């Protein structure tokens, strides 16, 4: 598929094996920025990549802090990277955030290609141009819009993912199919009913998810309008991640956030309670037992995170709520009067 | 004047006094990033700006290092800045570099306005979108293209500039008029013959310089073609700054760089020696006695800097040379065979 961007258009290409993907990514002058764990997991595939072209980093929230990027920049420059080279980024969301940020500002914009290695990165974050960087106590307050020049997908690399990482990716897959339509969502849940990690199923829903996301990011690349709807489940999801010190994987938090947003929508009369109850049952296997982690979190930290979200101004929270599959909408909700009671009821009573 | 940019168009506006400029910059929610020295020099003008809205920093090469930006970001965030606020940057080139970089990546792009307080920033760098950031031993390898949303000029603020800062700004003014035409250059030198720092003369040549620069940056914002010509004098100038540990002010280095580029052009037979000799005489008052500083620099550091310039590949240097006023051109010059002997002859014999 071909993605339009105001920065530069780019292609998403599919390959058979990880080795074939690496071969396809090899440009005249590559410099590789690689998740250390991925590099360890695929020694055979990386045997053909010269170590002097590789910068290995940890895929952690701490590593994607602005104050921890200096050594990464310096290692890339010490490896001799120049403005006509290509940065090839291999890893999940954290690697993508770091690689995108570095490519945006190195030499005022370097060429970069992305090989996403998690389901979440493949099915969602690899298109849409965004990077998010933390600084001090502030999460994701720094960032850029700068898409890769090319995205290279292979489901081969998903076979080593832990089950929680699969579920984390499914969080965004489920979100996108709920945004799409009742039929797409139903088809996904039918597939998931018998799903045991098959690569073909993952490849199918990766492709379908990107197809749902594409028009949002092409119409509204800088996230000022309709793209906001992709935040369905995220205002709550981000707060749950933050309040549990990232004790819940991102996409699993999104599933819990989707349930919260749907519960709030039902409480406010936007959608009938039956839709919420269906979702609650259907999504339980995809978040359990992280509901317990959320219930154990300090409630005040949850609300503090919602309050400090960069999109919110005092007292009012901009939420993406739902009138059902394919019908999301942005609403200003009162934090004290509407959100706090609903979220308390949800966390206390709906997760067991 | 109105500048076109692929990011967003912006206006350059002129004001009478510095106080009037500050009033004009006051938006609904301003956060000021100010050169500490400028803040000290204008206590009356800043009396109306609440201290809790001000972040003061040093305008030093060290401060514009990536690794030293974290405290600046954190202070801005601790002052409560949010995505609907405006960052108002007040200072010279270093403040502009830091302010532009921060505005580019904070909240994935914040609104910012610029009040340039040096002649160099007013007459040259304030338009053209660029920021340049150092990291470790690497100069200007990080940066962005992100123009201010508005530039506010006042010659009032130039009256406190040291003479060397005036001369530094004149370096870029002279360069731009040489790029423009023989007539414009001659008119400038006539004005400079009797110049003693008058604000009206500075305002006139600020305006004229921006007018010369405008078509280059509008046609080629990302510096891939004709905008390269603005680097006339800079390959050498940057090397002279770096080899003297910034012992020569930027614009004065540019004057020395212009002379070098013209000397090299004459040596290569592009322009007659008479043009070089005229420039040598005319520009002497605007760089003396920094020729002595350059002569005292380790020659090997000068060539190392030219060799490591990000625009050069091994053995060949991309130079902007000249066939006379209004006729610059980019040429690949051999470092060992052509540049080293010419630059040695220039530094050893042409600066006394």
């Amino acid at each position: 598929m071909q993605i339009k961007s105001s920065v530069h258009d780019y292609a998403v290409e599919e390959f058979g094996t990880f080795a074939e993907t690496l071969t396809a990514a090899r440009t005249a002058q590559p410099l590789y920025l690689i998740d250390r764990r991925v590099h360890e997991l695929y020694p055979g595939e990386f045997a053909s990549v010269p170590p002097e072209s590789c910068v290995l980093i940890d895929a952690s929230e701490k590593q994607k802090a602005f104050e921890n990027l200096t050594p990464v920049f310096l290692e890339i420059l010490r490896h001799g990277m120049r403005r006509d080279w290509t940065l090839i980024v291999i890893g999940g969301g954290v690697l993508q955030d770091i690689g995108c940020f570095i490519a945006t500002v190195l030499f005022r914009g370097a060429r970069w290609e992305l090989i996403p290695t998690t389901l979440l990165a493949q099915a969602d974050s690899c298109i849409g141009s965004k990077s998010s960087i933390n600084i001090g106590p502030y999460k994701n307050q720094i960032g850029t819009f700068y898409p890769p020049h090319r995205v290279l997908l292979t489901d081969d690399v998903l076979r080593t993912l832990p089950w929680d990482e699969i579920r984390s990716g499914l969080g965004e897959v489920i979100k996108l199919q709920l945004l799409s339509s009742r039929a797409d969502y139903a088809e996904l849940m039918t597939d998931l009913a018998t799903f045991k990690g098959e690569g073909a199923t993952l490849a199918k829903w990766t492709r379908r998810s990107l197809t749902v996301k594409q028009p949002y990011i092409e119409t509204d690349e800088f996230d000022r309008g309709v793209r906001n709807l992709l935040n369905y489940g995220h205002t709550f999801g981000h707060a749950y991640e933050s309040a549990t010190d990232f004790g819940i994987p991102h996409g699993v938090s999104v599933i819990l956030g989707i349930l919260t947003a749907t519960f709030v929508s039902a409480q406010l009369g936007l959608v009938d309670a039956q839709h919420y109850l269906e979702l609650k049952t259907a999504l339980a296997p995809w978040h359990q037992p992280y509901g317990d982690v959320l219930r154990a979190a300090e409630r005040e930290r949850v609300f503090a995170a919602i309050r400090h979200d960069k999109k919110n101004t005092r007292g009012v929270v901009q939420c993406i709520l739902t009138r059902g599959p394919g019908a999301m909408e942005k609403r200003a909700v009162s934090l004290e009067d509407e959100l706090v009671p609903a979220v308390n009821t949800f966390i206390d009573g709906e997760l067991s």
Side-chain angles (χ1 to χ4, degrees), chain A residues 130 145 172 175-176 179 213 215-235 238 309-312 318-321 328-331:
Chain A
K130 279 187 188 179
F145 289 99
E172 299 288 2
K175 179 201 78 176
L176 286 165
L179 251 79
K213 184 174 178 178
Y216 289 95
I217 59 167
E218 289 188 338
T219 314
D220 177 27
E221 185 170 15
F222 301 118
D223 205 5
R224 289 168 188 153
V226 70
R227 184 172 174 171
N228 289 180
L229 297 183
L230 296 177
N231 272 318
Y232 180 50
H234 280 65
T235 297
H238 283 149
D309 190 288
K310 62 183 174 297
K311 290 175 276 295
N312 298 326
Q318 300 296 333
C319 280
I320 308 303
L321 298 180
M328 311 303 159
E329 63 181 47
K330 189 172 177 174
R331 291 269 287 220

Side-chain angles (χ1 to χ4, degrees), chain A residues 47-279:
Chain A
S48 63
V49 178
E52 65 272 19
S53 304
C54 296
V55 174
L56 307 182
I57 59 172
D58 294 328
S60 63
E61 277 295 306
K62 198 176 157 207
Q63 179 61 75
K64 71 167 224 182
F66 186 82
E67 57 272 31
N68 296 329
L69 294 182
T70 300
V72 186
F73 273 106
L74 287 177
E75 208 175 331
I76 288 172
L77 287 166
R78 269 196 298 264
H79 279 63
M81 179 151 178
R82 297 181 72 89
R83 48 167 50 182
D84 53 346
W85 291 26
T86 299
L87 189 70
I88 298 178
V89 179
I90 304 175
V94 169
L95 263 284
Q96 182 185 336
D97 278 325
I98 295 172
C100 175
F101 184 81
I102 289 177
T104 314
V105 303
L106 191 61
F107 315 128
R108 290 200 195 91
R111 196 184 147 80
W112 75 293
E113 299 188 1
L114 175 64
I115 304 179
T117 59
T118 62
L119 179 59
L120 197 150
Q122 288 198 7
D124 181 30
S125 68
C126 70
I127 63 170
S129 318
K130 279 187 188 179
S131 70
S132 297
I133 297 293
N134 304 325
I135 187 164
Y138 305 95
K139 300 286 168 207
N140 299 329
Q141 297 291 293
I142 291 177
T144 57
F145 289 99
Y146 188 69
H149 291 70
R150 197 175 167 212
V151 178
L152 299 93
L153 295 182
T154 174
D155 62 60
D156 184 24
V157 85
L158 302 177
R159 65 189 150 85
T160 50
L161 277 187
W163 188 241
D164 261 10
E165 279 288 324
I166 297 281
R167 297 205 300 176
S168 185
L170 287 177
E172 299 288 2
V173 170
I174 291 166
K175 179 201 78 176
L176 286 165
Q177 299 311 319
L178 277 168
L179 251 79
S180 177
S181 68
R182 185 172 296 276
D184 286 342
Y185 167 69
E187 185 181 340
L188 169 65
M189 295 317 288
T190 303
D191 280 9
L192 288 186
T194 57
F195 176 65
K196 286 183 188 66
E198 297 80 359
T201 309
L202 293 176
K204 169 185 171 183
W205 288 104
T206 291
R207 219 172 297 127
R208 295 274 292 264
S209 298
L210 295 179
T211 306
V212 174
K213 184 174 178 178
Q214 181 173 18
Y216 289 95
I217 59 167
E218 289 188 338
T219 314
D220 177 27
E221 185 170 15
F222 301 118
D223 205 5
R224 289 168 188 153
V226 70
R227 184 172 174 171
N228 289 180
L229 297 183
L230 296 177
N231 272 318
Y232 180 50
H234 280 65
T235 297
F236 303 109
H238 283 149
Y240 297 163
E241 277 183 284
S242 156
T244 59
D245 297 317
F246 297 86
I248 309 178
H250 174 73
V252 176
S253 286
V254 169
I255 295 177
L256 292 168
I258 289 171
L259 287 177
T260 314
T262 311
F263 183 77
V264 172
S265 303
Q267 294 265 304
L268 296 179
L270 295 182
V271 71
D272 58 41
Q274 189 52 37
H275 174 61
Y276 165 70
L277 290 171
E278 275 172 35
L279 270 193

